[in-house]
Structures are given as structure tokens and as C-alpha cells.
Amino acid sequence: LQRTDSEVLQYKLESREKCIALLQQEKYVDAEYQIKSNPIGKQKALDFQRDARMTVGRFFITLGNPLLFGFGPLFSVLPFIIPLLLSSFTKINLFKPSMWSTVMPIINTITIYTVIIFIIFYGFVDNSRFESCTLFSGHWFMFVSTHYAFVTVLVHLSTADWGGSLMTWYMGWFGLYEAVVST
């Protein structure tokens, strides 16, 4: 786990106190802005990005962060969605028909799960951050939700009748995800 910078932590604690005071004054928009803003953290991130040496890991994080957390749990079935789109719109067919009967149920399940997770996050969790002036990271919520989706896919693939080549390949995809989000 990463440790929060002391200046950022102090700013966020002060923001929480200001948020509580603004809620008591019924200034809800100001309270939401207060709890969600983080100019010190943003400036430190910009300074780090400007001054730090580019590494392979940092390159993939810069490239992948919007993809990893923007897709949320749907990222876990991305290796199946891409071949599905290719076979739908081109003549490229990466999977045998028998594989689709195993893959489609998990694509559907994780898609529904992702919709539910986004409704929960943006409908309840994100709003409660300012309603209760809670310091909560959306990245951790999506990280845990995406891990649950990966494990669900792994369990589903482990029950497939046709063998483990896709399972082995998928475990590599999960390992890549772990490597990128852990750096």
C-alpha cells in the first residue's frame, strides 16, 4: 500500500472539517467541492510526472489508468469482448464456436455486474462521500470490484469442459493486470 503524503493528508483532514461545517450551513455544493478537491495532491502528482524518470511501469500506468479504472470490472472480460467485436464486424474469428458457448455467459454476467457496480458507485458511494464528508478513494472501490470480476471469470473458466488453454492465457491477463495496478 502507498502512504499518503503528509501535506495531502493534512489538507484532506481540513477539507473534511470544512465539509462538515458547510453541510451544517446547508451549502451542499460547496461541501461536495470541498471534500472532492485536492489541489495539493494534484500539484504533487504533476510535479512527480514532470520530474520522475519514465519507466516501463510508469508508461503503462499512464496509458492504462483511464482504461483500467474507466472500464471497471468490465476490464476483466476485455480479452473476450475484443474477439467478439472482431467477429461481429469483420471476418476475423479468434474463437471456435464451442468456446463462445463458454465465454458468452461470463461476458453477460460481468457486463451486468459492471452496470450494477457503476450504479452503486455513482448513485450511492460517490454521493455519500460528501453527504457524510467521508475520505474515500474510488480507485480502491473499482480495484476490489474488478478483482471480484477476475475471480468470477477464473471460477467460470475452471468449470469449462474443453480444457485449460484459455484458462492459462486468462491467468496471464490477470497477472498482467496485477502487475500494472500494483506498480
Side-chain angles (χ1 to χ4, degrees), residues 21-127:
L22 289 165
L23 284 178
Q24 290 170 344
Q25 298 170 26
E26 297 182 5
K27 295 181 178 179
Y28 304 111
V29 173
D30 293 338
E32 181 177 16
Y33 173 77
Q34 190 64 50
I35 200 67
K36 289 184 177 180
S37 72
N38 187 4
I40 294 173
K42 286 183 173 137
Q43 186 58 51
K44 285 186 177 285
L46 288 172
D47 292 346
F48 179 78
Q49 189 176 26
R50 182 192 67 232
D51 298 338
R53 183 177 60 88
M54 182 56 75
T55 63
V56 173
R58 202 166 289 122
F59 172 76
F60 281 114
I61 287 175
T62 304
L63 182 68
N65 196 32
L67 180 68
L68 292 171
F69 294 104
F71 272 83
L74 200 57
F75 189 81
S76 67
V77 290
L78 198 58
F80 306 129
I81 292 174
I82 292 170
L84 177 63
L85 292 173
L86 283 172
S87 66
S88 297
F89 297 109
T90 68
K91 293 184 183 201
I92 299 170
N93 210 350
L94 299 175
F95 289 162
K96 298 174 188 170
S98 62
M99 289 177 130
W100 285 115
S101 64
T102 299
V103 171
M104 283 309 297
I106 200 63
I107 289 175
N108 294 335
T109 300
I110 298 301
T111 300
I112 291 167
Y113 170 71
T114 301
V115 169
I116 292 168
I117 288 299
F118 276 98
I119 290 170
I120 289 170
F121 182 77
Y122 289 107
F124 303 105
V125 174
D126 197 41
N127 285 335

